[in-house]
Every structure is written in structure tokens, then in C-alpha cells.
Amino acid sequence: MSETKTYKLPIGPVHVGLKEPITAWLDIEGEHIKDAVIRPGAIHRGVEFMARERNPIQVIYLAERVCGICSFSHAIAFVKAVEDAAQIEVPIRAQYIRSMVLELERIHSHILWSGVACYTIGFDSAFHLGMMLREKVMDVLEALSGNRVNYAVTTVGGVRWDVTPAVERTVMDMIHYYRNEFASFYEAAINDPVVKARLRDVGVLTTEQAIKYCALGPTSRGSGVRADVRWSAPYDAYCDIHVEPVVPQDYTGEVHGDVYDRFLVRVYEVLQSLDILEKIMEGLPEGPITFEPKVNKLLTVLKKAEGVGYGCIEAPRGDDTHAVGLKAQQENVQWWKVRAPTYSNAVSWPLMFKDNELADAPLIINSIDPCISCMERMVLSDTSSGTKSVVTKADLLKLCREKTDKTRRLMGA
Amino acid sequence: MILGLVMRVIAGIALMLLITVFAVLFEGVDRKLHAVMQRRIGPPLLQPVYDILKLLGKENVVPRWATPVFFHGGPWVAMIASMMVFMYIPMGSLPPVLNGSGDLILILYLLSLSGVAVAVGGFASGSPIANVGAQREMILMMSYEVPLAIVVSTLAWFAYKLGMPGHPFSLETYVATSVWSVVGKAGFLGLLCLFVAILTVIPGETGKGLMDIPEAKTEILEGVTVEYSGVNLALLHIGFNLRGAAISALVVSLFFPFSLGKSIGLSGVPMAIIDFPWFWVKVFLVEVFGVTFLRTAFGRLKIWQASNFYWAQVGALSLAGMILISVDVLLH
């Protein structure tokens, strides 16, 4: 056979099928993807650096803004890290409310993703249906916290908003609504022949590969790995409520590890979240909702704290780990490290791309529900000097000081 | 003779303008209906008109690696070829403008020409993404032409064998005598198969819904049209709209030639006046079913799946229709 020629085609950084900037350079032969190289680095926000000028309470609001979809997960993971460092006990009622909001967030994230997956394969009707269904859970979050995104519910040592009887009613209404209405989306998306034809055997990640490359959350569960922080290391209300990881083999009897399996996992997790919410509402204990309601007193406690804390929770996209360093008599956070789930999941992208078609490329990128802005860590490479070298921390600090000096001079200071 | 020619030219130009307006309005209705079916409000009916007017006032950007002649020529040829189709289609009781100078084969040729012109424009734009789109357009065309050719040739053979008045490859034959009225039971089933087969060709021809493959916004960024802007893009939009209307008009002429004027006992000019809007109502209904319904109900297929669908499933369906009709002719 004669050797066929491949050509390079970029997907991204700006592409209709992607919601955030990342580039996938594909080696294409006709429609066939021979190889793929992922090039991140199109966006960086430096939130971890910004946190060093804030006290832990202020960082909560920064943590919420790491991601718009799993904002509460990031806030909780950060708060848990601080509580771990400062050895703060959280009241049981607050733990239940936290779990409740986490589940609400999971529902809205998964419905959003399922809609976007349908949109990526040109099935706009299912996308709009998904968006319409998602409204209900957004309404509940608004009733609870007053916000539709970035709920600002949590604080160090508890939560800021209590679940009133009115909110309880809205949550029960929502559960009832989804039990009736979610089936329409389920029927339209899961059982549709075209969706099945488009998602089956696309972007396959086998069980072994998922374990080897440390895939997390629905990505690993879609490959048949029973991995769920709520199950393996329960926290908050999950200590009382048993959560079984949702894996496709339990529902279809087989594991393909493809995009369709990830789709199934997310849809069944929405149904599972409804069950969990019901149990949380049944067992919601009475009591205080925070360790210390007065912020000044709380800050004094935190100022005395010294040490390193870790917080790990199951975000809708996989486990979200935060680590934080506190120093006694220092008001600000010393350092803060965010490990968003996309960081681990993105490693498996080149494997998923192999031997698929160009038509599947945006779908495969979207299949792990990437959150590029949460994941991006800066790599600066200096090509201007001719020698291609990576800019070091010292270089960066030097550049930064030069820039500050320049700005000061310009301002006449 | 000269007066006749002048009259034809005037009628042709008037008809082309009218049809262009109809075809663009169809897209407005399609978008609105599509939105309503998804429980959205959707754009105003005249949105495609506004879009095209806006594009007509914009600059044509030509990529550095493009071949300008083919890049600019593609949209023009695509639009004119689809427009020409209407010169050979009888509208209601009105005979076609270019009466007697063309037939079904020419119509199919013009429809393919319009597709090829779009693909050539895509190849000529020099962008790898437009290239992929153009390849897909060609593959899709090769796929749906097969069932389309089977349907048309079966009907022609059928008309010839049964001795329907007129030339078997002339559309006027089918408009004068409805094919449904001359078939037996087996033939009726066969015609039904052929009808369903040609309905599935509409999304392929218009590049919508299931067969939105050459454009595929979320995959290859509108594919063949990715490098087009300004006047060229407006022409492409008009061309796509005209192609949709043309294939629907072909389906109406072949399978729904029923005249409203005749059924309420009119004849001559009043019948022609009533049948002209009636024809467009039928075209509209076929387009709503073939384009709007299908694109609301289904997602996009991959190119090999589309090819497979046309060659295997629709091909088998049209062959079944062919066999049933042959049986019917033998029984006659």
C-alpha cells in the first residue's frame, strides 16, 4: 500500500464546539485522526497567586470563581482545607446543607453537560430541552441562596444560609418535577438512534487506561472504574447516606468506556442525586448552622491557626482537591493549591482521540466536561531570544518587578 | 418569435425574483417553526431577509491562499444553477418558462451542479477546514444521487410502459397525469417506497438536520462556507435556500401534482391563478416535513453513516419500490 499523507488541523483555541480555549492539533488522514497533540496555555488567571493577598474568608469567594459550574465544589473543598488546617468542627446541620447544595450543583452540571453533548452532535432540540429542565434546579438554588451561580452559601465552619420550610418545599417540588419530567430528556437523548450512532464506540478509554492515567469522576466511572470520593472517603452527610458509584455495567451489563457510557453515567447520576437529596431532606438534623457566626471572631481563630490542610470532595466532574497553608499571626493565606478534576482527566485525551474521526473531535474534548480555566497552569516559553527556553520563577519575578517599576515611573511615583 | 423570446425573458426574470423571495421566506418560516417546536420564541420571519441584506452590504474577504476565480465563481454558479431549475418546473397549471427545452435529467444535473459549485468554492478557498467540508459535500452528493436516480428512472420507465401522455422524462407528463391514479395495488406500495426514498433525499440536498455534515457548525465551523463573507456568503445562502425549494418542488411535481383549480371546477386563467399559490403551499409543506421536522427530531450523522444510510437503507427502499412497480407493470 502506498503511504498516505496526513495533514494537521487545529481544533481550537477558538472553536464553536468548545466552550473554553484549548487547542487540539490533529493529524488527519481524510476524516481519520491518526494522532493528536493537546496544547493548553491559551488562558491563565493566576487565582492561586491572588489568594495570597486575602484572608481565608475572602478566598472563599475567589474559590467560588475558579469555575462557574462547580463553583460550590471549589468553595467547599477550600473551606474543608482551611477547617482541616485550623481544626474546626462543623455542625451536623451545616454538613447536611453543604451536601444538599453539592447534589443540587451536580444535577445542574450534569444536565448542562448532557445538553451540550447533544448540541455538539447537532441535536439542538435535546439541548434546548436540557436547558429548560435545568432551570428548575437553578430556581431552587436561587430560593436557597439568592444567587443562580456562585451561591456564596458556605463559610469556614458552616454555612451562611439555613434551609427554611419554604426552601424545603421548593426542593421537594423539584425532586417531584424531575422524577416526572426528566424522563422526557432521557427518552429523547439516551434512546435516540442517531445519538446512539454518534456516541457509541467514540473516544474509548478502557478500564485499564482509566486507572493508569488517573481519570476521575464520570470519566473514570464511564470506563467502568468504581471511583467516587463520596463512596471511598465519605465526608459531610455522605457518612450517613451510602452512595454507590454509578458505573455503566450496573445498568447495561457491559463497559465500552466510550462517550455514550459517560453520557449514561451522568444521566443516571442525576437520578441518583434525586435519591440522595430525598434522604438528606428526610434526615436534616436540627441545630446551629455555623461554628462561629461572627466573622471577626472567626478570623481571630483562623489567625491563630498554623499548618497545612487538605480538602477533597467529589465535584460533578471528578474529585476536586484543594490544599492550603496557614501561618500563625499571619492574616493572609500563605499558599493555596487547586487541583481541578480536568487536570487529571485531560491526560487521557490523546488516548481517546486515537483512531476516531474528525467529526468526533469536539465531542471527545467535551466528553470529560473540561473546565480549561480551572485547569490551566502557566507555562511561559521564551522564543524571542532564539533559544527556546521555559521561563523560570526567578525570570517571572524579574519581569514582574520591571513591569511594576515601569508602571510607577509612568504614573510619576 | 422575437416577441415570444422577449416575453420569456421577462417572465423568467420576474419568476426568478419571486422564487428567490419565496425561498428565502421559507427559511424564515423554517427557523420560526424549528424554534416553536423547541419551545423557543425564535427569530422574526424576515430574519433571513435581514441577514442577506446585511451580507450584501459587506466586504468580500478573500483568503491569501484562495484561487480567486473559483472562490468567487462557486457561489454564483451554485445560485444560478439552483435558480435555473425553476425554469423547467411547471408551477401548478402554468407551463414551465423554458417549455419543452429541458427535462428531469437536466433538473437533476442542475441540482448536482449547484452542489459541485459549492464544493469547488470550498476547495478553492484554501482553508483545510473548508477542504474537509468540500470533501464531505462531494461524498454526500455521491451518496444521495443513487436513490434519487433510481426514483427518477423508475418513474420514467413506469410512465413510458403505461403510455402516460407526454415524454417520460418531461415533468409536464407527471403534472398532467398523477402517477398515483394509474397504478395498481403493488404499484401503489412501490410508489410509496419511492416517495419515502425521495423525502429522505431532501435533507441531504439541503444540508440540514441529519445531513448537516458539510457545514457541521460544531465540528468544522460551517465547513465549505467557513472562508466566505459578504456578498459571496449572501449568494451561498440564497443558493442553499433555492436548492431546498427546488428539490421540494421536484417532489411536488412528481408525487403531488393535484390541481386545486381543477377539483373546484375551474379552467383556463382562473385555474392557473389559483394553482400557482397552491403549488407553493405544497412545496412549503414538503419542505416543512423534509427539512424542519427532520432537523428538529434528529442530530447530525457522521459522513460514513450518511453514506451508508443512502446506499444501503434508502437504496434498498428505492430498489424495493422499483421491483414493486415492475411487478405492477407486468400485471397490467
Side-chain angles (χ1 to χ4, degrees), chain B residues 193-226:
Chain B
C193 290
L194 293 185
F195 174 62
V196 173
I198 205 169
L199 268 187
T200 59
V201 171
I202 299 179
E205 188 76 62
T206 48
K208 290 272 177 74
L210 276 161
M211 305 299 162
D212 179 20
I213 307 162
E215 276 117 65
K217 184 173 70 177
T218 47
E219 290 165 14
I220 49 166
L221 315 163
E222 305 283 352
V224 278
T225 62
V226 68

Side-chain angles (χ1 to χ4, degrees), chain A residues 295-322:
Chain A
V295 178
N296 290 344
K297 282 188 183 173
L298 188 62
L299 278 174
T300 321
V301 174
L302 290 175
K303 206 172 170 182
K304 286 178 194 154
E306 170 137 7
V308 174
Y310 294 96
C312 178
I313 57 123
E314 182 74 17
R317 288 151 171 168
D319 61 354
D320 181 19
T321 313
H322 284 225

Side-chain angles (χ1 to χ4, degrees), chain A residues 158-172:
Chain A
V159 288
R160 292 174 64 228
W161 301 97
D162 202 356
V163 173
T164 58
V167 173
E168 240 172 88
R169 265 199 307 282
T170 352
V171 175
M172 293 317 282

